[in-house]
Amino acid sequence: MPTFSTIKAKCEEAEFQRHNGPADDATCAEGNCSDTQLSGLSSPAHEAAPQEPPALAPAAAAPAPEPAPAPTAAVEARPAAKAEPSQPAKPKAPPPPAKPYSQVTVFRSQQDRPEEVFSMVDSETLHNEGVGNERTPSVFVCPQHQVDKPWLGFGGAFTEASCVTLHRLSESKQDEVLRAYFDTETGLGYTLGRVHIGSCDFSLRSWTCGEVSQTDTELNGFSISRYRKAIIPMVKRAMVIANGPLDILASPWSPFPWMKTEPKFNSGSLKPEYWGIWAKHFVRFIQEFRQVGVPIWGVSVQNEPASAGRWESCVWTAEEERDFVRDHLGPALESSGLGSVKILVGDHNRDGMLERAAIIYGDPEAAKYVWGVGYHWYGDARFEAWADFQVVPFTIPQSGNAPIQDVRAQVCFDNVRRVAELRPDKHILFTEGCQELNNAEVSTRLEDWKLGERYAMNIIADMNAGCEGWIDWNLCLDSRGGPNHARNFCMAPFIIDHENINLQPCYWFLLHFARFIRPGARRVVCSSSRDALEVTAWINPGDRGAPGTTADNVAVVVLNQTDQDMDFWLKVAGSGAVQLTAPAHSIHTLVIEREPS
């Protein structure tokens, strides 16, 4: 079938010949050019710039040509042209595919708008009218292009502090908090969790898993009796609400002090002669938890292995962590029938995660046991008093070259992507983040919208860089930001003062992600044409999605931390667009659903 440009050229040639006579005996090779085909076309002889015609109707069948007259004596007869072999009819082009997505539901949370702490504010239909070009403020989503690794889910930590604080509430209040986290219909739908092996700073005091002496090489004194008081009951209740097991990560803060180079909870490193028995300790912990109905999904070798603070710690170099996994922990899990338990290395901040990962992955015998890298978010000088930082000066031409300062610290978002590139076959899991109070009172950070924005900007950056799951720190804390035996008080999404439950804005920010991006979702290609609009987009699996949405919906989270409202176009490749507004200090989840069948 001739293309539109071919027909147009032929018809323009015929029109020229109609006015000026044929240059030779050529005719319109495509047959007679019908009025329908010529409709809307302008002759080059009359128009300086021809107008683009509307779509052409199918050409009418050409009438049979009249027989040519016999040549006269004055005109020498030409030999008859050879008949062209008949060509098979080309199949008709298939009709254009129907738009895969048509409807956008808008959920919003906005600062200083109690009625919009979390609400559905709009429902729009995608269209193709008046859409700006690629330089227009926009969020572009391409659902056809997806990354390979599925999302594992969101979760939080069952610290002793959280579980004891929760246990002090009435049973109905406990249920209210747990449902807010683990109910898939009305809450966040958490599927991940974390527990500490032995005590951590968010414990009532320093303690170990039972009483194990230096001569007790078989760990006969090992016990998880302390977990039975508050931690295990809360985990099991959460599992009931979640309607299934949670993927629990277990992490040690400190071995038994007598195993360390400095016999204290909060300093030193593990002596090499005790590496074997410490690996057995991991095995025993996993086995004991399984026996009480709480399967352990994975373990990290050490919480924050490059830190020795005021609370439980144990320093491991990258080389030591590599050798411990290769020679002790990996073989111990495998020989005990626990080879399916994931081993995570790192479990510290982003700043040093690439270097540590490269050293450990560089040894194939160690790397074969390692599932992936865990990491934390600390080191942001805008939020942590201890973080190193530098100031980069700039001026703003639009404001008369007014000076501004950009703070550079130890956030290092790009290091997550670099670890993903280092070993694409391995995995990355965010394992801890919270807001330290830096000696301030909890009251100074209550209702802190900026803390919610910190959650969102970290989650967006991490998800886009290759993170596969996100575990918050304490599920809840008391009115001091504890209990914390080292006085390292922090914030949590739930602050509980006796029977009063204070739900913090960061919970609503988490809801924009966890409710709509479900386990098994895959990240899709997405971009923003303005730095101030921070975005990520995920397509949910066919059998899962946010409550009340259709299968295979796409969830796009848009964060605006600025003081200005921002209009933008949501553009969905192959489907259409719609214009939306992101008010100042707001977060949106845009649920894009397919056309009904």
Side-chain angles (χ1 to χ4, degrees), residues 133-140 527-533 568:
N133 60 28
E134 67 271 12
R135 300 191 65 189
T136 304
S138 61
V139 171
F140 176 75
S527 69
S528 169
S529 66
R530 296 296 183 270
D531 291 341
L533 293 176
F568 68 97

Side-chain angles (χ1 to χ4, degrees), residues 202 310-311 377-387 434-442 444-445 448 451 454 480-481 484 486-491:
F202 280 95
R310 303 192 312 271
W311 50 88
W377 78 10
Y378 308 112
D380 191 335
R382 297 168 296 183
F383 297 96
E384 269 96 46
W386 55 265
C434 74
Q435 178 59 54
E436 299 171 358
L437 282 172
N438 302 318
N439 297 319
E441 297 293 328
V442 165
T444 64
R445 301 307 294 259
D448 186 356
L451 175 54
R454 183 186 189 186
R480 297 184 63 194
N484 187 294
R487 302 184 63 81
N488 180 34
F489 300 120
C490 297
M491 295 298 293

Side-chain angles (χ1 to χ4, degrees), residues 10-43:
K10 294 292 185 180
C11 291
E12 287 177 344
E13 180 184 351
E15 184 72 0
F16 177 85
Q17 291 174 354
R18 185 169 67 85
H19 286 279
N20 299 283
D24 54 25
D25 291 332
T27 60
C28 185
E30 299 298 333
N32 294 339
C33 295
S34 69
D35 291 340
T36 303
Q37 289 172 315
L38 292 172
S39 174
L41 289 175
S42 299
S43 168

Side-chain angles (χ1 to χ4, degrees), residues 180-203:
Y181 276 123
F182 297 97
D183 194 302
T184 57
E185 295 294 324
T186 61
L188 300 182
Y190 272 2
T191 57
L192 307 180
R194 191 180 184 214
V195 296
H196 41 86
I197 300 176
S199 63
C200 67
D201 51 326
F202 280 95
S203 296

Side-chain angles (χ1 to χ4, degrees), residues 160-365:
E160 185 176 46
S162 290
C163 295
V164 167
T165 300
L166 196 58
H167 187 73
R168 290 170 180 164
L169 291 172
S170 64
E171 190 166 337
S172 62
K173 292 284 188 178
Q174 293 175 27
D175 193 65
E176 181 181 334
V177 174
L178 289 172
R179 288 195 177 279
Y181 276 123
F182 297 97
D183 194 302
T184 57
E185 295 294 324
T186 61
L188 300 182
Y190 272 2
T191 57
L192 307 180
R194 191 180 184 214
V195 296
H196 41 86
I197 300 176
S199 63
C200 67
D201 51 326
F202 280 95
S203 296
L204 304 186
R205 62 173 178 83
S206 297
W207 50 269
T208 59
C209 294
E211 299 296 331
V212 176
S213 67
Q214 289 180 259
T215 59
D216 186 5
T217 57
E218 297 302 317
L219 300 177
N220 293 318
F222 182 93
S223 172
I224 60 169
S225 60
R226 191 175 181 97
Y227 292 89
R228 298 175 186 270
K229 297 177 181 178
I231 295 175
I232 288 175
M234 291 305 168
V235 174
K236 297 183 80 169
R237 286 182 63 184
M239 290 167 59
V240 171
I241 292 171
N243 198 28
L246 303 173
D247 289 337
I248 300 291
L249 174 70
S251 306
W253 265 243
S254 175
F256 297 94
W258 55 262
M259 292 182 171
K260 301 170 72 176
T261 55
E262 296 181 46
K264 298 187 293 185
F265 278 102
N266 65 335
S267 61
S269 57
L270 184 64
K271 293 180 179 179
E273 58 263 36
Y274 295 119
W275 285 12
I277 191 173
W278 187 235
K280 289 182 182 179
H281 189 278
F282 277 89
V283 171
R284 188 68 176 274
F285 184 89
I286 296 167
Q287 291 172 336
E288 293 280 339
F289 262 67
R290 282 191 173 185
Q291 288 179 10
V292 297
V294 180
I296 297 297
W297 169 85
V299 296
S300 62
V301 175
Q302 171 65 42
N303 177 75
E304 299 184 350
S307 176
R310 303 192 312 271
W311 50 88
E312 291 84 344
S313 64
C314 185
V315 175
W316 294 78
T317 66
E319 291 81 4
E320 289 170 338
E321 188 173 13
R322 174 198 64 199
D323 296 349
F324 175 69
V325 169
R326 181 193 64 209
D327 300 335
H328 297 280
L329 182 57
L333 292 177
E334 203 166 72
S335 64
S336 302
L338 299 173
S340 62
V341 175
K342 314 297 189 289
I343 297 177
L344 280 73
V345 296
D347 208 6
H348 209 158
N349 300 333
R350 299 185 190 96
D351 54 358
M353 65 186 296
L354 177 63
E355 180 180 355
R356 184 171 287 260
I359 291 171
I360 295 171
Y361 287 157
D363 185 334
E365 290 303 307

Side-chain angles (χ1 to χ4, degrees), residues 437-483:
L437 282 172
N438 302 318
N439 297 319
E441 297 293 328
V442 165
S443 59
T444 64
R445 301 307 294 259
L446 288 175
E447 306 300 327
D448 186 356
W449 194 262
K450 177 51 69 176
L451 175 54
E453 291 179 340
R454 183 186 189 186
Y455 270 76
M457 71 176 177
N458 274 268
I459 294 172
I460 289 172
D462 287 341
M463 291 181 111
N464 289 340
C467 175
E468 298 166 49
W470 212 89
I471 304 177
D472 193 17
W473 192 209
N474 297 281
L475 292 171
C476 60
L477 293 171
D478 65 18
S479 58
R480 297 184 63 194

